[in-house]
């Protein structure tokens, strides 16, 4: 049974004051909510504040990126050790905005996945095709390439600790999510490939999240699909009410599909 996950990716938003007010709102709205892994990923500058606020609640902390070295002369970078130190348990890796604007390539992303596993962080590895890829029917090829290079030389033991997020680039921040059927098709494809790369057990335990214009209006249809184990939420995670409605929608599923 796969425990559902909801990740709020705040991206480059929120001052410390704004982060505090949003976090307080989320804590309040999700009090007592169990059965769902709730993760918020503020920008680095708000991590400490948010960590203090969520301490002892059902909400966990994630970062949006890291550098693959533990320490040293890497001006401007943040290491996995620093993220652990501040209380992060998760880290988003390979988000398409970093692939595009920061030119992160597959090799870099693979190093980051390894570095997070080496230091006890759970990587949320993002994969997803661009609109042109999909127009040319190349979506599976692109996603497979990102998946296999992201997980390159990561063994069975390591991969157990990973979360995958399928985020079609054309759905991110556009208000146009993938249809539940298209998302499910890709999730199933990813699961089958994981089974080939590792084995069936790994494929059946790994959580695969969907991301791209998820909001309280479309969440229920998405998570009804059997291979969508949760969501990575950008825009809608910046509003406490929207984010908590998304999380709460998991409780509307038949009880049997919620792992404790
Ligand atoms: P969005 O972003 O929900 O605003 O589309 C999702 C993401 O980029 O993780």
């Amino acid at each position: 049974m796969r425990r559902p996950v909801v990740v709020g990716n705040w991206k480059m938003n929120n001052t410390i004051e704004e982060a505090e007010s949003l976090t307080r709102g989320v804590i309040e709205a999700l009090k007592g909510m169990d059965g769902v892994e709730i993760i918020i990923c503020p920008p680095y500058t708000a991590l400490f504040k948010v960590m203090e606020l969520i301490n002892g609640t059902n909400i966990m902390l994630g970062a949006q990126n890291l550098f693959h070295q533990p320490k040293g002369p890497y001006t401007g970078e943040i290491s996995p050790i620093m993220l652990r130190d501040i209380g992060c348990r998760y880290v988003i890796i390979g988000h398409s905005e970093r692939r595009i604007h920061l030119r992160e390539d597959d090799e870099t992303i693979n190093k980051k996945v390894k570095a997070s596993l080496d230091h006890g962080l759970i990587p949320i590895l993002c994969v997803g095709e661009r609109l042109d890829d999909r127009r040319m029917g190349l979506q599976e090829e692109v996603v497979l390439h990102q998946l296999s290079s992201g997980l390159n030389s990561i063994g069975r033991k390591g991969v157990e600790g990973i979360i995958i997020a399928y985020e079609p680039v054309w759905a991110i921040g556009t208000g146009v999510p993938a249809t539940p059927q298209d998302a499910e098709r890709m999730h199933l494809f990813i699961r089958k490939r994981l089974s080939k790369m590792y084995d069936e057990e790994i494929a059946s335990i790994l959580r695969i999240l969907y991301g791209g214009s998820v909001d309280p209006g479309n969440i229920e249809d998405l998570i009804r699909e059997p291979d969508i184990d949760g969501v990575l939420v950008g825009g809608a995670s910046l509003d406490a009410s929207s984010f908590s409605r998304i999380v709460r929608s998991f409780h509307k599923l038949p009880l049997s599909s919620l792992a404790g």
Side-chain angles (χ1 to χ4, degrees), residues 35-176:
V36 180
E37 220 162 290
I38 310 164
I39 304 159
I40 50 183
C41 303
Y44 287 142
T45 47
L47 281 174
F48 192 76
K49 184 75 214 171
V50 173
M51 180 275 298
E52 285 183 322
L53 294 165
I54 62 175
N55 194 12
T57 71
N58 53 351
I59 297 165
M60 286 174 293
L61 192 64
Q64 299 172 18
N65 178 40
L66 52 59
F67 190 66
H68 65 275
Q69 295 288 357
K71 63 177 185 174
Y74 305 102
T75 304
E77 295 298 325
I78 302 283
S79 81
I81 293 176
M82 294 165 176
L83 294 182
R84 282 295 302 263
D85 188 40
I86 211 166
C88 287
R89 289 175 59 185
Y90 302 81
V91 57
I92 297 171
I93 293 180
H95 192 283
S96 61
E97 285 154 13
R98 296 199 61 84
R99 292 181 193 260
I100 295 167
H101 303 301
L102 283 302
R103 306 236 159 86
E104 280 193 12
D105 60 17
D106 292 315
E107 199 188 333
T108 308
I109 290 164
N110 179 240
K111 282 184 190 159
K112 293 184 177 197
V113 173
K114 284 184 188 153
S116 22
L117 291 172
D118 285 347
H119 293 92
L121 287 160
I122 299 178
I124 302 166
L125 172 64
C126 301
V127 297
E129 81 285 359
R130 298 188 191 209
L131 189 55
D132 277 353
D133 302 324
R134 183 162 278 263
R135 282 199 177 121
M136 292 186 283
L138 295 174
Q139 63 273 22
E140 291 186 347
E141 203 170 304
V142 169
V143 165
L144 175 58
H145 179 77
Q146 293 173 346
L147 185 72
S148 38
S149 51
L151 298 178
N152 185 28
S153 75
I154 291 168
R156 193 181 187 285
K157 193 80 208 124
V159 83
E160 276 178 9
I162 282 183
I163 296 174
I164 311 274
Y166 169 56
E167 297 207 305
V169 179
W170 46 269
I172 295 179
T174 57
V176 185

Side-chain angles (χ1 to χ4, degrees), residues 3-40:
R3 183 178 160 89
V5 188
V6 178
V7 186
N9 173 14
W10 291 3
K11 309 192 181 184
M12 198 175 70
N13 293 291
N14 291 330
T15 59
I16 294 178
E17 204 180 318
E18 289 161 347
E20 174 163 359
S21 128
L22 174 54
T23 306
R24 285 190 192 283
V26 170
I27 293 171
E28 186 56 36
L30 292 175
K31 228 180 239 163
M33 174 82 193
D34 54 13
V36 180
E37 220 162 290
I38 310 164
I39 304 159
I40 50 183

Side-chain angles (χ1 to χ4, degrees), residues 140-212:
E140 291 186 347
E141 203 170 304
V142 169
V143 165
L144 175 58
H145 179 77
Q146 293 173 346
L147 185 72
S148 38
S149 51
L151 298 178
N152 185 28
S153 75
I154 291 168
R156 193 181 187 285
K157 193 80 208 124
V159 83
E160 276 178 9
I162 282 183
I163 296 174
I164 311 274
Y166 169 56
E167 297 207 305
V169 179
W170 46 269
I172 295 179
T174 57
V176 185
T179 62
Q181 297 72 27
D182 278 345
E184 169 62 19
R185 201 169 297 129
M186 186 61 88
H187 283 225
L188 192 58
F189 171 75
I190 293 173
R191 210 176 290 288
K192 285 190 174 147
R193 298 312 297 206
L194 287 168
S195 169
K196 279 198 183 146
M197 289 161 68
Y198 297 94
D199 54 51
E200 252 180 56
E201 195 194 345
I202 289 290
S204 71
I205 60 174
L206 282 202
R207 273 93 52 92
I208 307 175
L209 317 184
Y210 168 78

